């Protein structure tokens, strides 16, 4: 079984400041990890994913995440927040192999203050 | 451009009504999923399907059923809607396990 914990349901940053959204996972075997973003009144779309290749993963819109096995973490970062980054972000985990469902975190709402 | 479409963006139903939510994907994906999204709870898996006519229960299947008669279409059925099923419902599809899920825009269902 797998699980994911997102610390902080709401995060506020100033425009231009560093964005850091935290995600910790739990799984009995090596996981696949994802970050999705949801803009208001839309479905989720993929930001980036980790599937056991490079531990530093670059995604769309300047976001990146680092897989740290020792810390069981997959935190999402962006050096400089933009107003358009305001959205809800979901971390998700699944296991390699067939018929593995995806488990999502509760989400973190990012507010960007001008 | 890949697409997952859902039949309604907003739906209002009465308690006890039978409700159908439809999802169609145009990517020839084998796997399709229904989630509900509630504030503070994230996305919870209701049912998924890995092939036509095949279905598996997710984490919260009670009060729901599904149908997949064609590869591109996955329907969620609320046999007798209740107020606690008021929620945002999201459909998703994926080409294979471990791959990116593609989501529809969601249906916001209100049960009165």
């Amino acid at each position: 079984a797998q699980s994911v914990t997102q610390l902080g349901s709401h995060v506020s940053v100033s425009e231009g400041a560093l964005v850091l959204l935290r995600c910790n996972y739990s799984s009995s075997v090596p996981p696949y990890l994802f970050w999705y973003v949801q803009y208001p009144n839309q479905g989720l779309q993929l930001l980036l994913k980790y599937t056991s290749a490079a531990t530093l993963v670059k995604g769309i819109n300047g976001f990146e995440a680092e897989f740290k096995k020792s810390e069981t973490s997959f935190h999402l970062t962006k050096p400089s927040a933009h107003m358009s980054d305001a959205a809800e972000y979901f971390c998700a985990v699944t296991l390699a192999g067939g018929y593995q469902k995806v488990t999502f975190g509760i989400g973190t709402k990012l507010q960007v203050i001008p | 451009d890949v697409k997952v479409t859902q039949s309604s963006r907003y739906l209002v139903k009465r308690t006890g009504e039978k409700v159908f939510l439809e999802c169609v994907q145009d990517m020839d994906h084998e796997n399709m999923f229904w989630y509900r999204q509630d504030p503070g709870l994230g996305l919870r898996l209701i049912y998924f399907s890995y092939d036509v006519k095949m279905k598996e229960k997710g984490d919260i299947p009670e009060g729901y059923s599904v149908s997949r008669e064609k590869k591109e279409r996955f329907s969620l059925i609320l046999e007798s809607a209740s107020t606690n099923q008021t929620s945002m419902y999201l459909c998703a599809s994926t080409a294979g396990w471990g791959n990116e899920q593609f989501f529809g825009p969601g249906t916001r269902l209100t049960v009165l």
Side-chain angles (χ1 to χ4, degrees):
Chain A
Q2 70 268 20
S3 66
V4 64
T5 302
Q6 290 184 243
L7 295 173
S9 58
H10 290 81
V11 170
S12 293
V13 300
S14 298
E15 192 175 14
L18 171 72
V19 176
L20 170 61
L21 304 182
R22 298 178 187 273
C23 173
N24 289 88
Y25 70 91
S26 172
S27 72
S28 53
V29 297
Y32 290 171
L33 293 158
F34 305 82
W35 276 100
Y36 287 86
V37 61
Q38 185 180 35
Y39 298 104
N41 298 316
Q42 294 185 26
L44 280 69
Q45 63 184 83
L46 184 71
L47 268 181
L48 49 83
K49 67 177 180 181
Y50 166 79
T51 55
S52 76
T55 56
L56 182 63
V57 182
K58 294 188 184 298
I60 61 171
N61 301 337
F63 284 93
E64 63 181 38
E66 187 172 7
F67 173 72
K68 291 187 177 180
K69 185 178 177 181
S70 60
E71 299 176 11
T72 61
S73 69
F74 191 58
H75 302 331
L76 183 70
T77 60
K78 182 175 180 177
S80 176
H82 193 273
M83 295 299 294
S84 60
D85 295 327
E88 189 159 20
Y89 293 80
F90 292 89
C91 183
V93 62
T94 190
L95 305 180
Y99 305 110
Q100 301 292 342
K101 66 178 185 178
V102 177
T103 300
F104 287 83
I106 64 170
T108 298
K109 274 193 178 164
L110 176 67
Q111 179 187 23
V112 182
I113 303 165
Chain B
D1 198 20
V2 297
K3 221 167 186 180
V4 178
T5 56
Q6 295 184 229
S7 50
S8 305
R9 292 300 303 272
Y10 299 93
L11 211 52
V12 179
K13 295 292 182 181
R14 298 269 178 207
T15 302
E17 279 192 77
K18 191 168 186 175
V19 182
F20 293 88
L21 303 183
E22 302 266 304
C23 174
V24 178
Q25 51 95 3
D26 65 0
M27 296 164 280
D28 201 35
H29 285 169
E30 288 82 18
N31 306 322
M32 297 187 73
F33 306 81
W34 275 107
Y35 296 91
R36 65 176 281 176
Q37 181 181 10
D38 300 288
L41 296 176
L43 275 69
R44 293 180 291 166
L45 182 63
I46 304 171
Y47 267 97
F48 65 98
S49 169
Y50 52 89
D51 201 351
V52 175
K53 297 192 186 296
M54 305 302 289
K55 60 187 179 185
E56 292 284 342
K57 292 180 179 179
D59 299 316
I60 52 164
E62 296 77 21
Y64 304 94
S65 62
V66 290
S67 171
R68 193 163 181 204
E69 297 296 320
K70 292 185 177 181
K71 190 175 185 180
E72 67 271 17
R73 189 180 298 269
F74 191 35
S75 302
L76 180 70
I77 303 154
L78 287 66
E79 295 289 342
S80 177
S82 63
T83 55
N84 62 13
Q85 292 178 311
T86 291
S87 186
M88 170 71 87
Y89 290 88
L90 292 168
C91 175
S93 72
T94 184
W97 303 100
N99 289 343
E100 170 187 2
Q101 293 198 0
F102 291 88
F103 284 83
T107 296
R108 188 166 292 282
L109 173 67
T110 302
V111 182
L112 302 175

